[in-house]
Amino acid sequence: MAGARERKRADRQKRKRRSTDRPEQTDSATAAGAAPGNGAASSSETFQERMARRYEERNAEARAQLEPLEQGERPRAVTVGAVVSALLALLFTVSAILAIAGVSAGGRDIKPLPIVFFSAVFWAMAVGMWRARYWAVLGFQTVLLLMMLASAFGLVVVNTVLQAVGTTLLLLGSGALFYFMIRAMARIQMPTPPGAD
């Protein structure tokens, strides 16, 4: 266990060294490209190269700070997402059972097939996130994005203060969970370090 952590630490330090060595090489390349007489095209290329280098430096720093998941580890944001997905799946399951039983909502008949489909999708995402699977986190983030868009549009047409508060809380909650799941997705996607079982 301690050996694996030492290997991770050494790998992170190597990546940091590589990311700090790369800017010096690109600086000399951009200085050579920005020589007098190159014209307007080279100045725009120099700007693009400089921006690309800055983004690559930031990406390298962010990657160096990430640690691959340990065996059986699950990020906290993914655990919260799994619980939320399971609650939504349970809600859809109960709704599907009521729709199949013929219960009407406000005098309207509800078709059970779409509800059964959404229930199955949310159950699959809940199980997948509990097992820290990348596809499940990606699917749940898509759902969170749709929830954020719906709640943002919903704020435009609210009629009461209670609706406004509820819609705002939904927007903030889904946005915060979406943000924290981005880093969790990056950790899940990272390859297992060499020698780790």
Side-chain angles (χ1 to χ4, degrees), residues 109-162:
D109 290 331
I110 301 171
K111 295 181 180 178
L113 192 60
I115 303 173
V116 170
F117 172 74
F118 281 115
S119 173
V121 167
F122 277 106
W123 279 123
M125 283 192 297
V127 172
M129 282 190 288
W130 194 258
R131 294 180 178 177
R133 298 292 185 262
Y134 184 81
W135 59 266
V137 179
L138 187 62
F140 192 70
Q141 277 201 305
T142 305
V143 172
L144 287 175
L145 185 61
L146 292 173
M147 287 173 68
M148 285 190 288
L149 289 172
S151 53
F153 287 127
L155 279 174
V156 179
V157 294
V158 292
N159 296 323
T160 64
V161 175
L162 189 62

Side-chain angles (χ1 to χ4, degrees), residues 30-54:
T30 50
N38 284 352
S42 66
S43 65
S44 67
E45 287 175 3
T46 304
F47 175 76
Q48 291 173 352
E49 289 173 359
R50 189 166 55 242
M51 293 305 294
R53 179 173 46 82
R54 286 181 185 168

Side-chain angles (χ1 to χ4, degrees), residues 51-72:
M51 293 305 294
R53 179 173 46 82
R54 286 181 185 168
Y55 283 124
E56 184 53 39
E57 286 173 19
R58 289 176 189 165
N59 289 341
E61 287 174 11
R63 282 192 296 268
Q65 292 172 0
L66 291 174
E67 290 184 14
L69 294 177
E70 297 286 344
Q71 187 69 27

